[in-house]
């Protein structure tokens, strides 16, 4: 059971502020301020603005933490508060932590390397390693709340946070914990982070229009926008949540994993890995494609990635729903089936997508007032592939809840697809309490 959601991202500090800005159509993407971008082709990112770590962390502790850890502690606080959980409510041997990150303290690595090259090894901080390594986000959160149960971290690139959530679900399912604080955190808006992705030609260079730079599945997409932030979920067994009368938001019902075994940075050409992970999540949840009301896409905004993901989603979800008939109605708007995001922060994307759906599930009136619509069009997402449909996204703001909006009444498949070949899929649904 999902009982708490904590968000710190480019849209806001805190779940409510982030959600409010998302509904208002605010873009968190803007010019990079963390460093001088004069010599960089990409000059935009989704920075967390006005983040004050001293709200959550004592000054003497701050030097032991990279920015990704600082943000994770703030996100955990928001999640715990929404879940209305206090450590004394639980057997802390049964409470675990599982926080992912794509790379950890990139800011710290760069800072300490500069010290090494300019002043020698004697200038390196003794806190360099513990402030940079991926597992210390989980470590600091477990120390803060006294959580002595399963403690882990993963660094499977863009699938890392989906893996942390799915693995936490399985940890609770097999009885190894009653509650897990899980999700992911990322802070890679640094010269090496941005420069490295730019060297791969993966980043958008739409510097003159940051708000529209991230445009997955769009004909004119030119890469993703790097971001930073965290998304933390509180997962509990039903019995644990009921025992403390927790506010249950949603239920995770399935999880799948797969690998492409294909290439170090590109997904398999036919989308097989993404297709198999969606199928695995559906199988684990005992759902069929007809049960799915929403797909949360990875959508890297890259020409290759989006094309391959489109094939996978078509095969796993829409082909079973008479895709050809639906695709023929090119002027028809189909609601509530597909989601994109505004910017990207590696591992942060998956749990942000899961967190946004969970928050929507708990506030249907808000979700109904702001919906993303898309039009299907008979146009190839990849040159020369005439059988592939692309998507033109249209934001539609509504003042009233439409009676035809049904997404949150059914299940949702939050499918996450990762470029280096790691895929993770999670199926969530509105909680169905036993009679």
């Amino acid at each position: 059971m999902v009982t708490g959601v904590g968000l710190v991202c480019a849209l806001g500090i805190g779940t409510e502020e982030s959600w409010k800005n998302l509904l208002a159509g605010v873009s968190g993407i803007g010019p990079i301020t963390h460093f001088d971008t004069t010599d960089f082709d990409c000059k935009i990112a989704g920075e967390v603005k006005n983040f004050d770590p001293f709200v959550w962390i004592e000054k003497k502790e701050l030097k032991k933490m990279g920015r990704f850890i600082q943000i994770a502690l703030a996100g955990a606080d928001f999640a715990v508060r929404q879940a209305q959980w206090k450590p004394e409510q639980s057997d802390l041997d049964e409470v675990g932590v599982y926080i992912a990150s794509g790379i950890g303290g990139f800011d710290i690595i760069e800072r300490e390397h500069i010290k090494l090259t300019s002043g020698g090894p004697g200038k390196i901080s003794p806190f360099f390693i513990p402030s940079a390594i991926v597992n210390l986000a989980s470590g600091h959160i477990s120390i803060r709340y006294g959580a002595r149960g399963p403690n882990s971290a993963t660094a499977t690139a863009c699938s890392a946070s989906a893996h942390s959530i799915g693995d936490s679900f399985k940890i609770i399912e097999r009885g190894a914990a009653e509650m897990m604080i899980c999700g992911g955190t990322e802070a890679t808006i640094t010269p090496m982070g941005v420069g490295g992705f730019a060297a791969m030609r993966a980043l958008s260079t739409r510097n003159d229009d940051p708000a529209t730079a991230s445009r997955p599945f769009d004909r004119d997409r030119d890469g993703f926008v790097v971001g930073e932030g965290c998304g933390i979920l509180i997962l509990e067994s039903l019995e644990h949540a009921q025992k403390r009368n927790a506010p249950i938001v949603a239920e995770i019902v399935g999880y799948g994993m797969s690998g492409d075994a294909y290439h170090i940075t590109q997904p398999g050409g036919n989308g097989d890995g993404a297709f198999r992970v969606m199928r695995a999540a559906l199988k684990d949840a005992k759902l069929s494609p007809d049960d799915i009301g929403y797909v949360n896409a990875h959508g890297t905004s890259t020409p290759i990635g989006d094309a391959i993901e489109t094939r996978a989603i078509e095969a796993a979800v829409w082909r079973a729903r008479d895709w050809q008939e639906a695709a023929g109605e090119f002027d028809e708007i189909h609601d509530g089936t597909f989601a994109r995001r505004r910017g990207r922060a590696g591992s942060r994307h998956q749990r942000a997508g899961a967190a946004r759906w969970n928050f929507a599930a708990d506030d249907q009136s808000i979700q109904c007032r702001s919906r993303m619509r898309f039009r299907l069009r008979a146009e190839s997402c990849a040159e020369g592939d005439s059988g592939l449909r692309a998507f033109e996204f249209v934001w539609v703001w509504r003042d009233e809840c439409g009676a035809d909006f049904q997404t949150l009444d059914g299940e949702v498949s939050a499918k996450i697809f990762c470029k280096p070949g790691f895929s993770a899929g999670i199926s969530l649904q509105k909680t169905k309490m036993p009679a």
Side-chain angles (χ1 to χ4, degrees):
M1 299 296 165
V2 181
T3 58
V5 178
L7 287 174
V8 176
C9 63
L11 288 179
I13 297 174
T15 312
E16 292 187 8
E17 181 183 356
S18 299
W19 184 243
K20 178 181 178 181
N21 285 330
L22 180 68
L23 298 181
V26 174
S27 172
I29 299 171
I32 293 173
T33 63
H34 289 352
F35 62 91
D36 183 1
T37 61
T38 300
D39 297 327
F40 287 76
D41 292 333
C42 176
K43 304 176 185 296
I44 56 176
E47 296 180 343
V48 175
K49 304 168 186 67
N50 303 315
F51 178 71
D52 181 3
F54 295 113
V55 174
W56 294 274
I57 304 162
E58 293 183 11
K59 185 177 181 179
K60 65 178 182 180
E61 296 296 317
L62 199 64
K63 60 185 178 182
K64 305 175 185 178
M65 306 177 191
R67 185 173 171 86
F68 82 108
I69 298 175
Q70 300 168 21
I71 290 173
L73 283 168
D77 179 60
F78 286 115
V80 164
R81 280 195 275 166
Q82 186 184 24
Q84 299 173 23
W85 177 71
K86 297 183 184 302
E88 55 267 25
Q89 294 177 323
S90 306
D91 176 355
L92 294 176
D93 291 346
E94 298 289 330
V95 178
V97 184
Y98 199 138
I99 307 296
S101 183
I103 200 166
F106 221 155
D107 55 332
I108 303 299
I109 294 170
E110 291 187 36
R111 184 192 72 194
E112 297 302 316
H113 182 258
I114 291 172
K115 290 182 181 179
L116 170 66
T117 56
S118 62
K123 295 295 184 179
I124 297 174
S125 168
F127 299 112
F128 164 44
I129 299 299
S131 63
I133 53 178
V134 169
N135 63 292
L136 258 296
S138 289
H140 278 285
I141 291 173
S142 68
I143 292 169
R144 172 154 298 187
Y145 297 105
R148 299 186 297 265
N151 191 294
S152 190
T154 187
T156 46
C158 306
S159 292
S161 295
H163 283 144
S164 77
I165 296 169
D167 289 349
S168 294
F169 160 59
K170 289 300 180 181
I171 287 171
I172 293 174
E173 187 178 62
R174 69 171 181 259
E178 290 289 342
M179 173 178 157
M180 294 292 294
I181 304 171
C182 61
T185 182
E186 205 74 80
T188 59
I189 305 176
T190 69
M192 288 294 290
V194 174
F197 281 122
M200 296 169 61
R201 298 188 178 181
L203 296 182
S204 171
T205 56
R206 205 178 298 272
N207 301 311
D208 58 340
D209 192 7
T212 66
S214 179
R215 48 177 68 203
F217 306 100
D218 186 87
R219 178 177 52 193
D220 299 322
R221 65 196 185 279
D222 69 332
F224 66 82
V225 179
V226 69
E228 63 180 357
C230 77
I232 309 296
L233 301 183
I234 305 298
L235 303 187
E236 304 183 50
S237 68
L238 175 61
E239 295 76 17
H240 186 271
Q242 288 179 326
K243 182 178 179 181
R244 65 180 198 85
N245 197 28
I248 296 175
V249 177
E251 178 183 8
I252 296 180
V253 293
Y255 172 50
M257 302 172 70
S258 76
D260 285 358
Y262 177 73
H263 189 271
I264 60 170
T265 58
Q266 292 182 11
N270 61 1
D272 176 67
F275 166 77
R276 286 184 290 105
V277 79
M278 285 186 279
R279 185 177 60 183
L282 289 172
K283 180 180 179 181
D284 188 48
K286 297 179 174 59
L287 300 174
S288 74
D290 289 337
D291 296 318
I292 302 305
Y294 170 91
V295 176
N296 192 76
H298 186 44
T300 60
S301 289
T302 58
I304 294 176
D306 288 4
I308 293 172
E309 187 170 19
T310 305
R311 294 190 187 101
I313 295 172
E314 176 186 350
V317 181
W318 288 325
R319 190 169 291 166
R321 293 175 155 193
D322 199 3
W323 162 266
Q324 296 297 333
E325 179 181 345
E329 301 173 359
F330 300 118
D331 293 328
E332 185 73 18
I333 291 180
H334 299 267
D335 293 327
T337 357
F338 209 80
R340 59 166 282 185
R341 67 201 179 288
R342 294 170 170 259
R344 180 169 179 273
S347 73
R348 183 179 64 82
H349 164 55
Q350 305 97 293
R351 26 86 174 127
R356 285 194 297 268
W357 185 86
N358 281 301
F359 202 61
D362 196 39
D363 195 344
Q364 295 193 43
S365 62
I366 294 179
Q367 173 70 3
C368 289
R369 290 200 298 270
S370 170
R371 300 186 292 167
M372 177 187 291
R373 295 181 172 186
F374 64 88
R375 299 178 186 272
L376 298 173
R377 68 173 183 242
E379 200 170 309
S380 176
C381 207
E383 186 177 352
D385 188 354
S386 60
L388 187 64
R389 278 76 180 178
F391 305 99
E392 173 188 352
F393 288 90
V394 183
W395 285 97
V396 179
W397 310 110
R398 298 189 57 169
D399 294 329
E400 297 180 358
C401 180
D404 60 335
F405 186 67
Q406 300 295 326
T407 299
L408 298 181
D409 292 332
E411 286 78 13
V412 61
S413 173
K415 199 286 303 181
I416 290 83
F417 177 32
C418 178
K419 286 173 61 181
F422 300 95
S423 298
I426 302 172
S427 296
L428 302 99
Q429 68 179 18
K430 270 294 270 186
T431 308
K432 298 178 179 178
M433 301 298 291

